[in-house]
Amino acid sequence: MLIKVCSRLNIAIGNKIDSALLSGEIVDSFHTSEEIVNYIYTTIANVLKPGLLLAADCKSVVTRVKEYIENHYSEDITVKGLSQKYAINADYLSTVYRQEMGQTIIKHLTSVRIEKACSLLKETDLSILDVASNVGYKDHQYFHRVFKKITGKTPAEYRSEFKR
């Protein structure tokens, strides 16, 4: 329907529509019907009125991305995946996110994950491997490196401070 409307209005679609939308594959990446509606709405708005995602709308997208990260930190999250989910160019999303939040998407994701890991290490007896997995790290050695870089301690050292 969107392609038909664009054809009638002589609007060049170019690469404004993700091929995953056209094939229907994109639906598998959503968890709720609201996410699907938001994606379709944003895609239509981008195609029909390219300047729509400016100022207030950018803040709205950044807020939704931030909330998504905070609620889905344990999942495999990428900038590309977020850009597809919210129908916005990945480079543009990264730029706007950094301007609004003062940090990159990946830094924010990492800080949320490490914060959750700290809570799990303090409040549970889960193994460090399970903690890493629960906060979205499949590679426990990478989790150790990131954890130590941010906290200055290994996960085991961090836990020992609270289990005395």
Side-chain angles (χ1 to χ4, degrees):
M1 189 166 75
L2 179 59
I3 293 170
K4 192 173 185 176
V5 168
C6 288
S7 175
R8 284 187 183 165
L9 297 174
N10 292 323
I11 296 173
I13 294 176
N15 61 357
K16 294 178 185 176
I17 297 179
D18 187 354
S19 62
L21 175 63
L22 296 174
S23 69
E25 294 172 17
I26 195 78
V27 174
D28 296 335
S29 68
F30 298 112
H31 294 80
T32 68
S33 59
E34 180 183 349
E35 290 175 351
I36 295 170
V37 169
N38 285 336
Y39 177 81
I40 292 171
Y41 173 79
T42 306
T43 299
I44 292 169
N46 286 340
V47 171
L48 297 178
K49 192 173 179 187
L52 189 67
L53 277 180
L54 298 173
D57 287 340
C58 288
K59 288 181 182 181
S60 170
V61 171
V62 167
T63 300
R64 291 194 331 245
V65 168
K66 180 179 180 275
E67 288 172 0
Y68 183 84
I69 288 170
E70 290 170 359
N71 292 321
H72 299 271
Y73 61 87
S74 63
E75 297 172 15
D76 185 24
I77 296 176
T78 63
V79 174
K80 181 181 178 187
L82 290 169
S83 72
Q84 289 175 342
K85 182 173 197 57
Y86 295 101
I88 185 171
N89 177 280
D91 293 332
Y92 185 63
L93 173 61
S94 294
T95 300
V96 171
Y97 195 92
R98 187 175 201 162
Q99 288 171 347
E100 291 295 320
M101 299 300 299
Q103 64 181 344
T104 67
I105 292 171
I106 299 305
K107 279 197 180 221
H108 180 235
L109 173 61
T110 300
S111 68
V112 168
R113 285 178 169 169
I114 297 304
E115 181 182 314
K116 300 295 182 183
C118 288
S119 293
L120 288 172
L121 290 168
K122 280 191 239 179
E123 299 164 8
T124 71
D125 289 326
L126 288 172
S127 71
I128 292 171
L129 218 67
D130 288 339
V131 169
S133 178
N134 284 344
V135 298
Y137 289 98
K138 294 177 182 139
D139 180 346
H140 72 279
Q141 291 175 336
Y142 180 67
F143 168 70
H144 274 78
R145 283 195 307 271
V146 172
F147 191 92
K148 184 164 185 167
K149 182 179 176 184
I150 291 176
T151 65
K153 301 175 178 109
T154 67
E157 291 169 342
Y158 185 87
R159 173 174 267 165
S160 70
E161 288 184 2
F162 297 96
K163 299 290 181 180
R164 292 179 186 178

